[in-house]
Amino acid sequence: MTLQKDIFEYRAGAMGELDPDDPLSGQLVELNVGPSHPATHGVLRLKVMADGEIMREVEPVVGYLHRGKEKTCESLGWRKFFVHTDRLDYLQPLLNNCGYAMALEKLAHLEVPERAQIIRVLLMETSRIMSHLIAIGVSAMDLGAISMFFFTFDQREKAYDLIDGYTGHRMNNTYIRMGGVYADIEPELEEQWAGYFEQFLADIDQWEELLTGNRIWYERNRGIAAMTREQALAWGMTGPNLRGSGVEYDIRKAEPYSGYEDYDFEVAVGTLGDAYDRYLVRIEELRQSARICKQALARLKDTRGGEFLAEDRRYVLPPHGDVQSSMEELIHQFKIVTDMRLPRGEAYMGVESSKGELGFYIASDGTAKPLRCHMRAPSLLNIQVLPLLTEGQLLSDMVAAIGSADFVMGECDR
Amino acid sequence: MSRSLEATRERLAPILAGLDHKEEESRDGMLTLRAPQDGVRAVLAGLHAKAGYELCTIVTAVDHDEAPTPRPQDTGGARFEVVWQLHSITSNDRVRVKCWLAGEEPGEAGFSAPTVMDLWPGAAYFERECFDMFGIGFDGHEGLKRLMMPDAYEYYPLRKEFPHGGIEPDRLYKAWDKQRRQPSGGTA
Amino acid sequence: MLSEYVPILILFGVVLAFVVAALLVSDLAGRKRSNLEKESAYECGMDAVGNARVRISIHYYLVAVLFILFDVEALFLVLWAVNAKTFTAAGIGGLVFAEIVAFVVVLGLTLAYVWRKGGLEWDR
Amino acid sequence: MGSLETVQGALENEGFLATRLDAFVNWGRKNSLWPMPLGLSCCGIEMMALVGPRYDIARFGAEAMRFSPRQADLMIVAGTLTWKMAEVARTIYDQMPDPKWVISMGVCSSTGGMYDSYSVVQGVDSILPVDVYVPGCPPRPDAVLDGLMKLQKKIELERPVQALFKDRTADNEWLEGHGKIQKQPNDSVPQYDPSVGVASDEENG
């Protein structure tokens, strides 16, 4: 194999470009924290120019999971695109569904019945809990606290049981429809759901001792990947990353949707805006989400038997039974399934996702083919701010920065 | 509650008084402004500086190619429009600024929009993605290259004439596979 | 005298035999299928960029040397600790202890010096 | 499991020692499959659930998820493979030492799944030789465990030790001639050609 030689041949010239004026510093090494790397939480690639352990330049490269969802929406149509919204931020499938459904409802001015709104709030908050569980568990595992992964995943499996019991599938369950939810929650599942939160809150207190007070965890996160209020706003941060920097802004409080104004919960706000504060914000959000879920479950008891799907036959499929019996329902179903049309115009709906503000900007020209469906991906902005968070710091702190920036490549690359 | 559309309009009226813009009706209660291609930069700068819009939520484009909608008369049959959405946390309201682009083909003179990267650094990736998907240039944007597709990709996927299944999607992979098995290829 | 070392030598032999056997069997029995791609450097799936022969920063060397310094110190402490009883039995316990304290103090001074000069922080 | 039984029946008439050594080597290989998780999208989360406490993959000896291909012998392609990522997947597959197997987890990697868009590989088997396909979007972790068990059965049928002593091409022709193992019907899927190590596509145009 003559070819071996030229790969490992020693190139004398490379040593020539040493740094003349500073004999102590070595040369910049071009590193590739590539698409297949345990610490990058997905297929992100970071081109790093490292001087010893300090990273001089960091350039994220994305697009390794670009599946062309926005193009797919234009050919699929509004209704069939629901399935794709699950795969956006696949840690919280139901929350993406709700965001997309609310965007469609905003454009169509469609009213959602009260019980459906409560079920949606319950599903969204449970999805937020499941998403934060992975965010905390995996970033702790990356920094060496392996047992945290198994604790958080144990809780996540229990939450999977609830979601599996209600929607029939653990993940990617596409259970939200335009105008409400697919089916009602059975009473015994509600009790089971309520039972989950007692042991969940007890478990969080256990993690607090394990992690929050832990000296190593504190040293590895305090002061790492910090950004000020102005930097966070200028770089388009929203959600836990923005609140970590001290800006008290939560869409559920500022622009309440789906009945959030009736629930009382606090917004967790950090001060220094570093990895440790973002971790504390996420832990507090877990507690607040559990609190909201309990209130939602209580309200579900009062509205038991209420409507869970709107009746507007332009957008909402008739119940299966009616389609067999009456002719108009059959026509309605046929019209909706083949070409559901939204009124002409455009609408934007921003939803408070676990990563930030997940927005759906939809433009319709009145025909069945959607004109445009743009998804605002908070993960893309969380990745864009990585150079700001990591440049000048140690290479091993990049892992804490990625863990605290908390992005999901499915949502970033769409 | 977020401020209603009327409240936002009053708040912005003095700021936008001198700037060339027109308000459009919107279905989702968000103030929508339409500005000409050369005047939109002034409107955006004004909103950033005086109206306290700290967050740039969206920079995207819409391709109206064969859409049957009667396009607004004064666009002169333009096909692409660029949409900015800004968000103010202090006064808790949002505004949407739109502008029609003159050109239609990437690289054409009129086929570019002013960058807002200096006002909101967060919009850099949005503009790169807009360029990647539509071919719209953003003058003043340093480092405008593809975001999602590989750099050697020569089509713009979100344009309406681009087929959904793509044109020979594995061409770049085959070229890479052939190139790396040449002896000189390797990892040199 | 030699007989005391026999168990250790047997252990050493067995370990050596096991290692050599494992290497030999896998070398002989394994089918070699090496090709250009398998030999290429792994860089997270990308083609390796840049050249690995780069002048490394001096700090790696500094950290390594400091580690060796205090590691060897720990070695001597262990030796002394193991034989502490025999020294006190032989009556010279106090003297040996003084020597060890002097040894530790000297190395403590070096640690203080390095700490103050900033040798322990990474970024100069 | 029809094809596996027939092949097993055909290979009974091998020498005693070789089959015993083969059985021993296969037993060692199948119970220590170290996966190289190519966690791309949603299936990657279910793969994490595999390692999690409930669906523990450690029971099959495969919980040592190695992120470096040098120490892995089973590549799990979990999620949607795009053409931009296909180069990385192929490079990582090549850098894995033999013997190596591939599990294609989820419909996205098996057939492109719900994405027939411009940037998604319509099936990992167009760039990698796949041993086991696990359907589902995402497949439940126990489905992936079932796929792993099927792979272990497949490994039991391999004859690594005999491959050393005997040239196997005559046997392969005999087996194909008697319809015991079918030639890959779809010629467009490149064959795994160990000598080049790369599914060279000059042959099939």
Side-chain angles (χ1 to χ4, degrees), chain C residues 7-89:
Chain C
I8 291 192
L9 290 183
I10 292 173
L11 172 68
F12 187 69
V14 165
V15 163
L16 197 66
F18 177 75
V19 165
V20 166
L23 289 179
L24 266 184
V25 164
S26 68
D27 195 22
L28 294 179
R31 291 176 57 179
K32 300 284 179 302
R33 286 198 198 126
S34 79
N35 52 51
L36 168 67
E37 285 70 33
K38 197 179 278 187
E39 302 300 330
S40 60
Y42 168 68
E43 191 152 329
C44 293
M46 306 303 294
D47 296 339
V49 290
N51 177 7
R53 283 178 180 68
V54 172
R55 194 181 68 184
I56 308 292
S57 161
I58 201 82
H59 291 281
Y60 290 110
Y61 169 74
L62 193 62
V63 168
V65 163
L66 285 179
F67 166 73
I68 290 172
L69 181 74
F70 295 109
D71 195 26
V72 168
E73 176 196 6
L75 185 69
F76 286 122
L77 287 183
V78 165
L79 285 180
W80 165 72
V82 165
N83 301 321
K85 279 205 175 48
T86 51
F87 290 139
T88 48

Side-chain angles (χ1 to χ4, degrees), chain A residues 119-140:
Chain A
I119 295 178
R120 275 186 180 174
V121 164
L122 176 67
L123 291 179
M124 279 199 276
E125 291 311 319
T126 309
S127 301
R128 190 190 317 281
I129 287 177
M130 290 168 77
S131 173
H132 279 331
L133 282 180
I134 276 205
I136 294 168
V138 171
S139 55

Side-chain angles (χ1 to χ4, degrees), chain B residues 26-66:
Chain B
S26 80
R27 280 193 68 90
D28 64 346
M30 186 189 297
L31 179 66
T32 309
L33 309 172
R34 169 85 59 193
Q37 193 168 351
D38 41 22
V40 75
R41 168 74 195 191
V43 170
L44 291 167
L47 290 175
H48 174 69
K50 296 194 269 297
Y53 281 100
E54 302 99 349
L55 265 175
C56 174
T57 314
I58 276 184
V59 178
T60 188
V62 181
D63 179 356
H64 288 268
D65 186 12
E66 74 270 358

Side-chain angles (χ1 to χ4, degrees), chain A residues 218-243:
Chain A
Y218 183 84
E219 287 295 327
R220 280 303 301 271
N221 277 311
R222 178 56 87 191
I224 306 293
M227 56 181 167
T228 64
R229 250 179 66 91
E230 293 67 30
Q231 279 174 333
L233 282 171
W235 286 89
M237 287 291 108
T238 49
N241 293 349
L242 183 63
R243 289 193 286 277

Side-chain angles (χ1 to χ4, degrees), chain D residues 41-61:
Chain D
S41 57
C42 347
C43 287
I45 306 298
E46 283 295 70
M47 192 165 55
M48 281 157 66
L50 262 179
V51 188
R54 174 176 290 183
Y55 292 98
D56 195 357
I57 203 170
R59 297 170 289 159
F60 300 87

Side-chain angles (χ1 to χ4, degrees), chain B residues 82-121:
Chain B
V82 181
V83 181
W84 290 268
Q85 261 190 190
L86 311 177
H87 180 183
S88 162
I89 288 185
T90 45
S91 48
N92 191 11
D93 61 9
R94 294 172 188 258
V95 74
R96 181 183 298 135
V97 180
K98 297 168 37 164
C99 91
W100 291 101
L101 295 185
E104 285 192 5
E105 290 313 317
E108 249 184 78
F111 195 56
S112 73
T115 181
V116 291
M117 206 172 131
D118 45 357
L119 305 175
W120 297 279

Side-chain angles (χ1 to χ4, degrees), chain D residues 100-140:
Chain D
K100 50 191 173 188
W101 297 274
V102 175
I103 286 187
S104 159
M105 173 178 174
V107 288
C108 285
S109 57
S110 305
T111 61
M114 65 161 79
Y115 303 107
D116 60 353
S117 68
Y118 49 90
S119 69
V120 172
V121 177
Q122 300 303 312
V124 163
D125 45 17
S126 58
I127 58 165
L128 296 176
V130 176
D131 292 291
V132 171
Y133 298 91
V134 181
C137 180
R140 296 180 71 96

